[in-house]
């Protein structure tokens, strides 16, 4: 500073300034759900690392043509830095207001005075780690040269594809299977013949899986609860047949109402829905569900949604066919939440087919509205990222027809809204009851009639 010049470290490149500014501003755009400091720091850090990577790629390509934007625009570097800092501060203030509006709507405490400090520190650590990784990769390229680097990268990518990815997939599959098999000691095996997993049941308690055991245990005592896990029979057809036998054994077909409950990816059926069906029908209802995956919904949605559809269609059709043989026919209903809503709705060819074959259908938190709506009850919170998320969110606003507005809804922004909503998916179940991807007993009480 002795010669009146600003040190170079305080005059970052124009591309760097623009990249950091763009990454921070995108990360601070309004989201659907409140964020913890750690979640916001991770989002900001990753966005900034991504935009810096883009800026670095552009700088590398422009250098090939011997062009550096910093030379002709050198005098704008400091003003641009100042403008970017002001924009970031303004965006942080606005983001703080938005976070508190969401928290007020959801009945949670506002952000504290140290919120942005934690965000800044966490984001800086993430960006620093990414930058160090990039520099290390650059050093390797410099030492090996481009041809050798490309060859090493190709070999590493091939090894990762052939061995690494399958190993990770097998590891996660084994982890999900282990979690499914682990018996929670706080759950009590049912003694009532009305439940699968009881002494009279052909479905053993261990074979129900983690979510199946939760479904058949606990109160209320009235409804018949039939559940078949992946380990309860060797294949889909035998599992469906077992579910029908369980309904017959437990007296499910003697009830006036039968609800086919399509689980989420891991086999989960919301206990709030069970309580809601009890309020709706009393004890005069049988609930039946069948597991189709060990993996959580997001993984099944990406890699195994066909299984959700196939299992839902097989079980519903089997129950439907069995009811046709009866003189006194119970009302047939279908329910699904999240991926279960998608799988359940896919049983039917269109709205008319759904109305013809069911007394009523209820879909809670359906992914991007991908369900047959006519004649069905659809529960969807405006703060639920599952309801918003779709690849089309990149270029157009979501269709929120019929969505219940439970919190402020952010303005749609191309690309940014897709990224923000994708980040919110990770916390969709962490919202307070009635917000995000959490639905209450209205999953049962709001079900229509024949």
């Amino acid at each position: 500073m002795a010669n009146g010049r600003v040190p170079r470290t305080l005059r970052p490149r124009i591309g760097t300034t623009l990249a950091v500014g763009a990454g921070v501003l995108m990360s601070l755009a309004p989201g659907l759900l409140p964020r913890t400091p750690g979640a916001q720091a991770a989002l900001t850090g990753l966005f900034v690392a991504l935009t810096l990577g883009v800026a670095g790629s552009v700088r590398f390509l422009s250098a090939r043509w011997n062009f550096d934007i910093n030379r002709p625009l050198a005098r704008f570097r400091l003003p641009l830095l100042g403008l970017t800092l002001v924009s970031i501060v303004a965006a942080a203030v606005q983001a703080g207001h938005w976070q508190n509006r969401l928290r007020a709507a959801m009945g949670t405490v506002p952000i504290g005075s140290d919120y942005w400090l934690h965000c800044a520190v966490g984001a800086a650590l993430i960006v620093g780690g990414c930058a160090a990784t990039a520099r290390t990769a650059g050093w390797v390229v410099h030492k090996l040269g481009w041809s050798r680097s490309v060859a090493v990268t190709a070999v590493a990518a091939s090894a990762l594809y052939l061995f690494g990815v399958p190993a990770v997939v097998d590891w996660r599959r084994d982890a999900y299977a282990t979690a499914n098999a682990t018996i929670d000691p706080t759950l009590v095996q049912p003694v009532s013949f009305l439940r699968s997993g009881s002494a009279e049941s052909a479905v053993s308690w261990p074979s129900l899986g983690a979510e199946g055991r939760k479904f058949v245990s606990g109160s209320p005592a009235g409804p018949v609860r039939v559940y078949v896990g992946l380990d309860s029979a060797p294949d889909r057809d035998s599992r469906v047949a077992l579910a029908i036998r369980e309904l017959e054994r437990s007296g499910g077909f003697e009830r006036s109402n039968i609800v086919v409950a399509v689980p989420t990816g891991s086999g989960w059926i919301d206990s709030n829905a069970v309580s809601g069906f009890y309020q709706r029908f009393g004890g005069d209802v049988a609930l039946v569900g069948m597991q189709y995956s060990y993996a959580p919904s997001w993984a099944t949605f990406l890699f195994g949604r066909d299984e959700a559809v196939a299992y839902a269609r097989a079980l519903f059709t089997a129950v439907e066919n069995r009811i046709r043989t009866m003189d006194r026919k119970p009302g047939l209903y279908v329910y699904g939440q999240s991926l279960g809503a998608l799988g359940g709705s896919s049983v039917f060819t269109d709205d008319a087919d759904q109305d013809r074959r069911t007394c009523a259908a209820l879909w809670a938190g359906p992914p991007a509205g991908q369900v047959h709506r006519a004649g069905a009850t659809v529960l969807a919170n405006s703060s639920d990222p599952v309801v918003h998320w779709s690849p089309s969110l990149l270029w157009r606003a979501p269709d929120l027809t019929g969505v219940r507005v439970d919190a402020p809804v952010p303005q749609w922004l191309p690309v940014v809204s897709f990224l923000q909503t994708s980040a919110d998916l990770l916390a969709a179940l962490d919202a307070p009851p009635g917000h995000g991807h959490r639905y209450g007993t209205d999953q049962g009480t709001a079900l229509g009639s024949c």
Side-chain angles (χ1 to χ4, degrees):
M1 295 290 288
N3 58 3
R5 298 191 60 176
V6 178
R8 185 180 178 185
T9 54
L10 299 181
R11 294 183 294 117
R13 295 185 182 96
I14 289 176
T16 301
T17 300
L18 290 175
V20 171
V24 173
L25 293 178
M26 284 194 298
S27 74
L28 294 179
L32 295 167
L33 295 170
R35 291 203 181 106
T36 63
Q40 183 61 56
L43 186 65
T44 300
L46 292 175
F47 273 34
V48 170
L50 177 63
T51 51
L52 283 174
V54 172
S57 299
V58 171
R59 186 166 60 249
F60 172 79
L61 293 175
S62 62
R64 307 288 288 182
W65 286 281
N66 196 29
F67 175 75
D68 183 1
I69 194 174
N70 295 281
R71 288 198 295 266
L73 301 178
R75 64 182 182 277
F76 295 110
R77 291 169 70 172
L78 274 180
L80 180 61
L81 176 62
L83 180 61
T84 301
L85 291 175
V86 170
S87 299
I88 289 174
V89 171
V93 171
Q94 180 61 32
H97 288 315
W98 181 262
Q99 287 285 313
N100 284 334
R101 285 182 63 192
L102 290 176
R103 284 168 164 75
M106 298 182 186
T108 58
V109 296
I111 62 175
S113 57
D114 58 345
Y115 181 89
W116 293 115
L117 176 61
H118 289 154
C119 289
V121 172
L125 291 174
I126 292 172
V127 173
C130 292
T133 302
R135 286 185 177 276
T136 301
W139 178 84
V140 171
V141 171
H142 178 72
K143 289 294 184 181
L144 294 180
W146 275 104
S147 58
R148 291 182 180 178
S149 297
V150 170
V152 169
T153 302
V155 171
S158 300
L160 181 64
Y161 177 78
L162 294 174
F163 305 106
V165 172
V168 171
V169 170
D170 290 342
W171 168 62
R172 292 313 303 163
R173 185 183 292 118
D174 290 344
Y176 295 143
T178 299
N180 182 73
T182 301
I183 297 179
D184 184 348
T186 64
L187 295 178
V188 178
Q189 182 177 359
V191 296
S192 172
F193 74 95
L194 301 176
R195 309 281 180 89
S196 293
S198 62
E200 295 89 347
S201 173
V203 180
S204 69
W205 174 247
S207 75
L208 285 167
E211 300 300 340
R213 288 187 286 271
K214 293 176 185 176
F215 174 70
V216 301
S217 63
S219 60
V224 170
R225 297 191 212 177
V226 167
Y227 193 94
V228 174
L230 281 174
D231 297 331
S232 301
D235 53 50
R236 184 176 67 215
D237 290 342
S238 58
R239 291 167 194 144
V240 171
L242 180 57
I244 298 301
R245 293 198 301 273
E246 277 289 282
L247 280 171
E248 293 171 339
R249 178 200 62 78
S250 61
F253 286 112
E254 298 171 11
R255 303 297 169 104
S256 300
N257 309 281
I258 297 178
V259 178
V260 176
V262 185
T264 63
S266 59
W268 177 63
I269 298 174
D270 195 338
S271 60
N272 287 315
V274 177
S275 298
F277 290 128
Y278 180 67
Q279 294 177 38
R280 172 77 169 77
F281 298 113
D284 195 16
V285 62
L287 312 176
V288 55
M290 187 166 66
Q291 185 182 24
Y292 51 84
S293 173
Y294 296 138
S297 281
W298 68 266
T300 309
F301 180 80
L302 293 175
F303 305 112
R305 72 177 77 179
D306 290 344
E307 285 296 285
V309 174
Y311 270 73
R313 182 174 291 130
L315 178 59
F316 182 89
T317 302
V319 175
E320 181 183 42
N321 290 338
R322 177 64 178 83
I323 289 176
R324 286 200 185 104
T325 67
M326 301 172 60
D327 294 329
R328 178 180 173 273
K329 295 177 172 57
L332 180 57
Y333 302 81
V334 62
Y335 153 79
Q337 181 183 149
S338 191
L339 183 58
L342 180 63
S345 182
S346 298
V347 169
F348 313 103
T349 56
D350 52 29
D351 292 346
D353 186 46
Q354 178 175 280
D355 291 345
R356 179 178 58 83
R357 297 171 64 188
T358 67
C359 278
L362 188 146
W363 314 125
Q370 298 177 33
V371 292
H372 300 303
R373 291 178 171 269
T377 300
V378 179
L379 304 178
N381 296 326
S382 64
S383 63
D384 185 353
V386 175
V387 172
H388 289 250
W389 193 91
S390 169
S392 64
L393 196 59
L394 285 164
W395 62 84
R396 68 168 178 245
D399 180 6
L400 299 181
T401 303
V403 168
R404 183 180 74 90
V405 180
D406 62 291
V409 180
Q411 178 67 39
W412 173 78
L413 298 170
V415 181
V416 175
S417 292
F418 174 82
L419 297 173
Q420 286 281 350
T421 303
S422 299
D424 283 330
L425 285 173
L426 300 175
L429 287 172
D430 296 335
H435 303 281
H437 199 53
R438 296 188 62 184
Y439 298 89
T441 56
D442 52 348
Q443 292 176 95
T445 58
L447 187 67
S449 301
C450 290

